[in-house]
Structure formats: structure tokens, C-alpha cells
Amino acid sequence: MHPEWQRIANEFIQATSYRVGELEKGWASRYDFSKRPATYLRYEQAFVRVPLDKPDFPASPDLWELLGNRRSKRNFLTTPMTRNELNILLWGTQGITADMGDYQLRTTPSAGALYPIETYLLINHVEGLEKGLYHLDVENWELEGLRQEDPAQAAYLYTEDQEMTRRAAVNFVWTAVVDRTKEKYKERAYRYIWWDAGHVAQNLHVVANGLGLGVSTVGHWMDREMNSYLGIDGESHLSVLMASVGKIAGGDWLKDRRPE
């Protein structure tokens, strides 16, 4: 690691570390949810809106079997993913599961139930969907079309020629709206954002493996170019993690596990 980068990283860790007696007691517990930044992002200028409705869930493998066999797989086929499979992946990572009045709970945990993570999709091969860049409107549970184009080359270029991103049915790009977490957790917010992104990514791995799909997270991407492609500023709203998902050979085993 370059010495200057190491210094900056160490300073961040120290500056955001808690020590006994240094915090104003109870400041986080007094957070006023009614004054928090908007929880949901919506693009009014979307070229198309695709309602997702409730997913049609197939039978799933035993949890312990699934965890024992979970693997990152990158050798994707060009066979399209079904829209229902995509819907299940999205529900497993961002689906709303309970309404608590001031806030809603989802399938993944989030620090303070603030949910800073947004989901963008570079769709290459999904049945019934045009190729392009989409955003998940979590509140209304629909996809918002932002770019109507083939995004495979952008995914390939901005991940420095990782072939799996060009072949994937869908490339997930998760972003963080920083103020959602920073308003409550101050300088600690960035730590919590990375943890939130990890929860979302892990759910994608579990759900995709449960569907017999291949999935691999991507840590190597060109942040500035990707942020520009998504139309976000890279500071108050920035990309935090990617993942590629697609069909794999021998991935149709679930068809024999549907309930009778």
C-alpha cells in the first residue's frame, strides 16, 4: 500500500473510533425519524416503469445445505434470466417486509433502519426487459428505466475488462445515499454504510445460489466513471459495491424441487 493511502486509511479508522466517555450519552437513541432525509429515491424522468408485483417463490433448498454449498460462480451462459428470478433477487436484497409506521423493515438489516443503499441494474439478458440501466424504486416496487442501451460494454470497461460482467444477465451496482445514515451516526456513518452493503451482497449470494444462479461480487470497478454513468455525484451519493449474476450450466436443479 502507498504510504499516503495507508496514513489516510489509518486516520479514518482512528477518527471514527469510539472511546469510553467521549460520546454524548444517548444521542443516537434520540434520533427523530420524522426529520430524517428521504428514505426512497424515485426518478420521475424514467423512460419506462416496470411493475414487479409479488415474486413467485419456488421451493428452496435446505438452509444448511444452501450455506454449505454456496460458491461464487462466474462462468455465465448467455441464457436469459427470467423476470421472476430477477424479482426474487431484488426482494431478497431490498424487499419491504414490515411497516413500523415511521419506517419500514426489509429483508436485509440496516444500521438504524435507515437503508442508505440503492440498487441500480445493468440489464443484459432478462426475459421481457429491454437492455439498459435501471433503478429499483423500492417503495413502489418497480424498475425505472434510465438508459435504453446495451450496458455490457460499460460494465466490462468500468470493471477493467472482467469478462463475467460482459456475460452476466444482470450486473448489480449498489450505491449509498450518505446523508440517510450520516444524519444519525455522524462520522461513523461511512462504516455503517459498508456494513449495510455487505448485508445486501450476502443476501444476493444466498438467494442466487438458492435459485441455481451463478453470482460473484465485484470489488474492482472504476468509481468515478461508474458514478458518472449512473448520474450520481460520487460524494453525497456514491457507488459502494457491484455483483454479477447469470445462468450457469447445471443451474436448473430447482425445477425438480417445486412443491407438488
Side-chain angles (χ1 to χ4, degrees):
M1 178 184 291
H2 190 283
E4 182 64 9
W5 299 343
Q6 183 171 346
R7 182 189 65 79
I8 292 171
N10 287 338
E11 285 183 357
F12 169 77
I13 294 299
Q14 295 306 316
T16 59
S17 294
Y18 289 160
R19 294 174 179 83
V20 175
E22 289 186 350
L23 288 176
E24 179 185 351
K25 188 175 181 181
W27 63 265
S29 64
R30 296 196 299 270
Y31 183 71
D32 186 350
F33 266 97
S34 68
K35 297 179 180 179
R36 71 189 185 280
T39 303
Y40 300 105
L41 175 62
R42 182 176 175 83
Y43 286 87
E44 298 298 338
Q45 74 275 23
F47 71 83
V48 67
R49 298 189 183 279
V50 182
L52 292 171
D53 302 318
K54 184 178 179 180
D56 178 16
F57 296 106
S60 61
D62 175 80
L63 175 61
W64 313 123
E65 175 190 1
L66 175 59
L67 292 177
N69 293 321
R70 190 219 56 77
R71 298 291 185 273
S72 296
K73 296 183 178 180
R74 305 170 178 83
N75 296 324
F76 303 129
L77 306 174
T78 56
T79 307
M81 182 188 298
T82 68
R83 190 186 299 191
N84 186 58
E85 286 171 330
L86 177 59
N87 196 3
I88 293 172
L89 295 176
L90 292 170
W91 182 87
T93 55
Q94 292 279 31
I96 295 174
T97 57
D99 189 342
M100 308 305 290
D102 287 338
Y103 59 95
Q104 291 74 47
L105 300 179
R106 303 187 192 179
T107 51
T108 49
S110 175
L114 297 171
Y115 300 102
I117 304 302
E118 294 288 332
T119 302
Y120 292 82
L121 304 168
L122 281 64
I123 292 181
N124 294 332
H125 310 294
V126 177
E127 293 177 358
L129 291 179
E130 296 290 334
K131 294 186 177 188
L133 171 65
Y134 294 77
H135 169 259
L136 175 63
D137 179 345
V138 175
E139 184 177 26
N140 296 296
W141 204 243
E142 63 183 14
L143 295 180
E144 303 176 302
L146 305 182
R147 288 175 177 254
Q148 194 171 13
E149 62 187 27
D150 186 345
Q153 190 58 31
Y156 182 69
L157 177 62
Y158 298 153
T159 59
E160 202 167 26
D161 304 346
Q162 295 187 55
E163 183 63 27
M164 69 174 177
T165 63
R166 186 158 58 181
R167 295 179 59 85
V170 179
N171 288 293
F172 284 67
V173 183
W174 293 297
T175 68
V177 180
V178 176
D179 283 351
R180 289 181 193 163
T181 302
K182 189 171 68 175
E183 285 296 310
K184 180 174 183 179
Y185 292 114
K186 315 304 180 187
E187 72 281 355
R188 192 85 165 183
Y190 291 92
R191 290 189 181 213
Y192 294 171
I193 284 169
W194 306 132
W195 297 339
D196 276 19
H199 294 314
V200 172
Q202 180 64 21
N203 269 31
L204 182 73
H205 272 264
V206 171
V207 175
N209 276 259
L211 291 173
L213 299 170
V215 59
S216 178
T217 40
V218 183
H220 183 117
W221 76 95
M222 308 298 106
D223 300 62
R224 291 180 178 84
E225 287 78 7
M226 182 59 74
N227 292 335
S228 177
Y229 184 76
L230 300 179
I232 59 180
D233 64 19
E235 294 184 9
S236 65
H237 188 184
L238 66 157
S239 56
V240 293
L241 193 57
M242 288 184 62
S244 299
V245 187
K247 293 281 191 175
I248 54 174
D252 292 332
W253 58 273
L254 262 177
K255 67 183 180 183
D256 299 322
R257 303 179 75 106
R258 290 182 179 275
E260 297 179 356

